[in-house]
Amino acid sequence: MSFIAELEKVFRENAVAELAAPMEAYMKNNFSFLGIKTTPRRILFKEIWRLHKGEVKQNAREIALELYQKKEREFHYCAIEILIKELKNKYQKDDIQLLEKLIITHSWWDSVDTIAKYLLGNYLAQFPDEVQNVVHKFSNSDNMWLNRSAILFQLDYKAKTDAELLFSVCEKHAASKEFFIQKAIGWALRDYSRFNPKDVTEFVGKTNLKPLSQREALRNL
């Protein structure tokens, strides 16, 4: 695809070796980086995207998957940003398979949280009949990042949040020793507390949450 070829060419031409190492260290050396910071990366990316707008629109899923196969993290960010824009309100039912694959591939908080909030969250808003099945599958998975996504997907749902579902998923994972699960529980509850502080306070009070989850949940109350 000419979009991917041109994007890769431009990114590699603008790689900054001395920035790559600290960026990799910040991500616990889980990924390779080209050393392009967020703002310049988005400027370069949007210009290439603009030049290949039709190709990206028609092949968004395929392009995202191909970008996700590359080792450098900057390409993964571009893949996610393409899907956020191109799939909004235009999801297909079987896109859940794509979202699951992205969540469990090159998994770390930076990608998973964005996918959970902006892709999974929007997908399930478009297909509310799929919520129970998806949350059941993800929250019962052995994959911690799928568990985290099931907890976080309602971020910014605001008054539309299914509180019963949120509380049940948080309670299911309340005993988890995983830092990223404890943090997710606190974050999801804190986000919802902006709209329903009373029920969040009551839930935290009666649920045996880990100290980190409890602290994060009540931080703004």
Side-chain angles (χ1 to χ4, degrees), residues 69-216:
Q69 290 172 13
K70 298 187 180 298
K71 69 175 184 176
E72 290 88 2
R73 195 60 162 166
E74 287 91 343
F75 293 113
H76 307 163
Y77 297 149
C78 291
I80 294 169
E81 289 172 18
I82 285 171
L83 293 178
I84 289 172
K85 178 174 174 59
E86 298 296 345
L87 299 191
K88 188 173 183 180
N89 300 323
K90 294 180 286 188
Y91 289 94
Q92 300 169 3
K93 270 272 180 74
D94 62 2
D95 279 335
I96 190 60
Q97 297 168 29
L98 170 63
L99 303 188
E100 181 175 351
K101 182 172 184 176
L102 294 179
I103 290 169
I104 65 175
T105 304
H106 304 308
S107 307
W108 200 240
W109 62 265
D110 57 333
S111 59
V112 170
D113 292 0
T114 307
I115 294 166
K117 180 178 178 179
Y118 294 104
L119 290 172
L120 182 62
N122 287 334
Y123 170 88
L124 291 175
Q126 184 178 328
F127 296 113
D129 290 346
E130 295 295 304
V131 170
Q132 293 296 332
N133 289 336
V134 171
V135 172
H136 177 79
K137 180 182 179 182
F138 283 18
S139 65
N140 286 290
S141 172
D142 292 332
N143 184 288
M144 182 265 290
W145 297 107
L146 289 176
N147 300 162
R148 182 172 167 99
S149 298
I151 296 167
L152 294 178
F153 83 92
Q154 292 192 90
L155 290 174
D156 274 357
Y157 269 33
K158 301 178 182 177
K160 295 180 180 178
T161 299
D162 183 334
E164 183 179 349
L165 179 63
L166 172 62
F167 293 154
S168 74
V169 175
C170 289
E171 188 170 13
K172 177 183 288 187
H173 295 282
S176 175
K177 296 178 180 179
E178 286 281 359
F179 168 83
F180 286 110
I181 295 299
Q182 294 178 22
K183 191 82 170 177
I185 291 171
W187 181 13
L189 292 172
R190 184 174 72 251
D191 182 74
Y192 183 51
S193 74
R194 293 181 295 154
F195 308 96
N196 193 344
K198 178 177 176 292
D199 284 0
V200 170
T201 302
E202 288 180 0
F203 173 76
V204 172
K206 70 181 182 182
T207 307
N208 189 23
L209 297 175
K210 293 290 186 180
L212 174 59
S213 298
Q214 186 177 83
R215 198 162 56 244
E216 288 290 319

